[in-house]
Amino acid sequence: KAEAKKKKLKLNFSPEKNVPQALVDGQKTKEVITYLLDNAIKYTDKGSITLRLYQASQSVFFSCQDTGRGILAPDLPNLFNRFVQKNKTATALTESTGLSLYFSKMVIENMGGKIWVESAGANYGSKFSFSVPRADKN
């Protein structure tokens, strides 16, 4: 919140009511959410960041959508690879190891989930999402 406030970004959290528990490692999932939110703040100069939590079918979904600098189409397929940062024409250089999205992909996939990114290009923001299996009621 402090970093978003410094940049005068509006943070929105929109959880759906009655989202079931998910089959996840809570600490690792928290790290992934933190990476996604930190990246959204880092690459958004003005506007807002919206976090959503909802259920669809047998999965629990989380998304982090920003109004930031966006990602160029050629960069989308490789964004979750090791040591990859967003294209310099769509973003400013930042200090980063390029491992947070790779780590996030490994964590989510190891829990049986999927992670992906969407962006309409430079200056159109981006949306990072992941889904994980819903916990069985038993």
Side-chain angles (χ1 to χ4, degrees):
K1 283 185 174 181
E3 290 300 313
K5 190 174 182 176
K6 278 186 204 175
K7 293 179 80 172
K8 298 180 179 159
L9 300 174
K10 183 176 181 185
L11 273 181
N12 305 303
F13 179 47
S14 196
E16 191 176 81
K17 290 183 180 182
N18 302 319
V19 174
Q21 291 187 344
L23 291 173
V24 297
D25 176 322
Q27 184 59 39
K28 296 270 191 256
T29 304
K30 182 179 177 181
E31 289 179 49
V32 170
I33 291 170
T34 299
Y35 287 144
L36 297 180
L37 181 55
D38 285 349
N39 278 340
I41 293 169
K42 184 188 304 184
Y43 293 108
T44 303
D45 297 319
K46 62 181 179 178
S48 64
I49 298 166
T50 301
L51 308 174
R52 290 191 61 221
L53 181 66
Y54 58 98
Q55 174 193 344
S57 187
Q58 297 299 309
S59 297
V60 174
F61 289 79
F62 173 84
S63 68
C64 180
Q65 185 166 5
D66 63 57
T67 59
R69 301 173 192 164
I71 304 165
L72 299 176
D75 294 336
L76 291 171
N78 300 315
L79 209 55
F80 292 96
N81 294 343
R82 282 191 289 185
F83 307 116
V84 172
Q85 290 185 21
K86 296 178 183 179
N87 186 305
K88 294 173 192 77
T89 60
T91 61
L93 287 173
T94 60
E95 291 184 27
S96 173
T97 61
L99 289 173
S100 64
L101 292 177
Y102 173 76
F103 169 83
S104 297
K105 179 181 179 188
M106 295 298 103
V107 166
I108 296 300
E109 288 181 351
N110 284 333
M111 292 187 293
K114 295 178 184 177
I115 189 167
W116 64 94
V117 61
E118 303 165 66
S119 180
N123 302 314
Y124 287 102
S126 57
K127 180 179 178 181
F128 285 83
S129 304
F130 67 81
S131 65
V132 290
R134 187 179 85 178
D136 188 330
K137 290 182 181 182
N138 297 328

